[in-house]
Amino acid sequence: MNSLTVSQGGHVGMTMLSNRFIDEYMSDANDAQLKVYLYLLRCAGSAQATGISTIADHFNFTEKDIMRALQYWDKKHIISLLYDDAKKLAGIRLENLDAKVSAEIVSMPTFKASVDTPAPVYDKSVITLDQIRAFKQKEQTAELVFVAEQYLGKPLSTENIRSLIFMEDHLNFSTDLIDYLIQYCVDRGKRDFRYIEKVAISWAEAGIATPEEAALRATKYDKDIYTVMNALGRTGSPTKKEASYIHKWLHEYGFSLDIILVACERCAVATDKHRLEYTDGILSSWRENGVHSMQDIQDADAAFQKKKTTKAAHSSSSANPFHQFPQNQYDYDELLQKVKIN
């Protein structure tokens, strides 16, 4: 990818971090997102050109990780991704957060999942501090904030309150459903609001509108856990760690049950030990490479077999020792075993 020009609206010649970024954005950003933003500030302050591959190499991330981080900040409106006529990324502009004027929240339609029409993007950053204060002062939502803080064992941040407003206004969740949602996540050892918000979105996509409907979904989820455990040759109740693996595959990775069962089948054939870790390696690799359907799996298998055939043909034709250079070709299953099973 070509070098990118990074520019900044505001001071240059030094790396400056806005207090607004620290107060409102930093707490909800993950490690990759924070590193990428700080690196961009450094580049902008020194008028240093960079590129996606350069940033990825600098932090030992994949280029997809870098693009996801950039798109995250672009959606937050603290950077702007600039594209050329061919719709290729050509530059990045860092916005001057301290120069931004707080905007009133815009009215958004109630979220409804649709196969054909994507859900509208809800920009939580437009929720003003006055609206947050009003939310905390209303009798019903003030009680929700108090209960949430008791569940989580800490005061809610500004971004946490924005998430609650997102659930109420955009997902159309009642306070009872939000209460149940937070309790549901905490009972499973998950107190991170990014995780809670992901579960909320998955419930909205499933059309869940009441705590009773959420409880029914949880029952179905428990059935999925036992289905996966049986596919791995496990009997009895799953441990907390085992359940967390399966929850990650279903909700964080977004794999359907049939895709997970394919990975379990391959794991069961390959090894009789550390099967959860091995399956996790398979699904993590599929997620990284954009594999999300049966057809994607078939295409990936075909590409891998072609690569092995090419490697075998090359090895058989390289009889001359002066031409036997080491090749960067790897056995997928062998790599997974080395990385995940050791």
Side-chain angles (χ1 to χ4, degrees):
M1 184 174 287
N2 296 333
S3 295
L4 301 175
T5 301
V6 182
S7 59
Q8 184 176 18
H11 297 283
V12 294
M14 63 185 73
T15 303
M16 300 184 66
L17 186 62
S18 165
N19 287 334
R20 186 181 174 196
F21 178 84
I22 297 173
D23 295 340
E24 299 183 24
Y25 296 97
M26 193 166 72
S27 62
D28 280 352
N30 64 29
D31 180 61
Q33 291 158 357
L34 287 174
K35 287 183 176 179
V36 167
Y37 183 71
L38 294 176
Y39 184 84
L40 293 177
L41 283 177
R42 174 71 177 87
C43 291
S46 60
Q48 175 185 339
T50 189
I52 302 301
S53 59
T54 301
I55 303 174
D57 291 342
H58 185 80
F59 293 112
N60 197 27
F61 291 143
T62 66
E63 293 189 13
K64 289 183 179 180
D65 291 332
I66 303 303
M67 281 305 304
R68 279 194 291 268
L70 292 175
Q71 290 163 354
Y72 172 83
W73 292 125
D74 184 54
K75 289 179 180 178
K76 293 289 185 180
H77 303 299
I78 69 171
I79 72 171
S80 295
L81 300 182
L82 310 175
Y83 295 89
D84 59 22
D85 293 339
K87 297 185 178 181
K88 292 184 179 179
L89 184 62
I92 303 168
R93 183 177 68 245
L94 275 66
E95 305 296 347
N96 185 355
L97 297 181
D98 298 320
K100 285 191 171 184
V101 179
S102 295
E104 290 299 320
I105 186 170
V106 296
S107 177
M108 299 293 291
T110 301
F111 177 88
K112 290 184 179 179
S114 171
V115 175
D116 300 319
T117 305
V121 176
Y122 184 91
D123 181 10
K124 292 187 297 181
S125 68
V126 302
I127 301 173
T128 66
L129 295 178
D130 286 341
Q131 289 168 318
I132 292 173
R133 282 191 288 269
F135 182 86
K136 294 170 71 175
Q137 289 171 0
K138 285 191 301 183
E139 181 178 352
Q140 196 171 19
T141 50
E143 183 178 350
L144 174 63
V145 171
F146 174 78
V147 170
E149 290 178 339
Q150 299 308 303
Y151 283 143
L152 300 173
K154 63 179 182 180
L156 298 187
S157 68
T158 300
E159 280 303 301
N160 295 158
I161 301 296
R162 283 194 170 103
S163 291
L164 294 180
I165 296 174
F166 162 76
M167 295 173 198
E168 183 183 62
D169 288 355
H170 190 50
L171 302 184
N172 204 28
F173 277 19
S174 66
T175 53
D176 287 342
L177 182 54
I178 298 174
D179 185 329
Y180 181 83
L181 165 70
I182 297 173
Q183 182 180 356
Y184 171 88
C185 293
V186 170
D187 286 347
R188 285 154 180 77
K190 303 294 185 179
R191 288 177 164 80
D192 180 67
F193 245 85
R194 287 189 298 270
Y195 178 89
I196 294 172
E197 194 170 298
K198 286 181 180 178
V199 175
I201 292 171
S202 73
W203 285 6
E205 290 174 341
I208 290 174
T210 66
E212 291 76 17
E213 291 173 350
L216 287 175
R217 179 180 172 85
T219 301
K220 179 185 181 302
Y221 164 67
D222 290 339
K223 291 180 181 178
D224 289 345
I225 287 182
Y226 282 101
T227 299
V228 173
M229 293 295 290
N230 288 335
L232 291 172
R234 301 289 185 92
T235 58
S237 299
T239 65
K240 185 176 181 180
K241 181 179 179 181
E242 289 170 337
S244 69
Y245 268 116
I246 301 169
H247 194 280
K248 177 174 69 173
W249 303 336
L250 287 166
H251 295 290
E252 293 185 29
Y253 287 5
F255 284 118
S256 60
L257 183 60
D258 58 343
I259 298 297
I260 295 173
L261 293 179
V262 171
C264 292
E265 181 182 353
R266 297 188 179 200
C267 165
V269 170
T271 180
D272 59 356
K273 296 180 179 179
H274 306 285
R275 287 184 172 178
L276 274 164
E277 292 85 352
Y278 191 94
T279 304
D280 188 58
I282 294 174
L283 292 170
S284 296
S285 178
W286 283 354
R287 178 175 182 247
E288 183 177 342
N289 289 283
V291 175
H292 286 288
S293 68
M294 291 296 186
Q295 184 60 51
D296 290 341
I297 294 174
Q298 294 174 11
D299 293 343
D301 288 345
F304 176 66
Q305 290 301 323
K306 182 178 179 181
K307 186 176 180 180
K308 288 185 68 173
T309 302
T310 303
K311 179 181 177 181
H314 183 274
S315 299
S316 62
S317 63
S318 301
N320 189 331
F322 293 102
H323 292 86
Q324 292 180 352
F325 300 105
Q327 302 294 309
N328 292 326
Q329 306 224 6
Y330 307 102
D331 186 298
Y332 172 73
D333 290 333
E334 181 181 349
L335 266 182
L336 282 177
Q337 281 188 306
K338 288 180 179 179
V339 173
K340 299 293 181 183
I341 306 303
N342 282 346

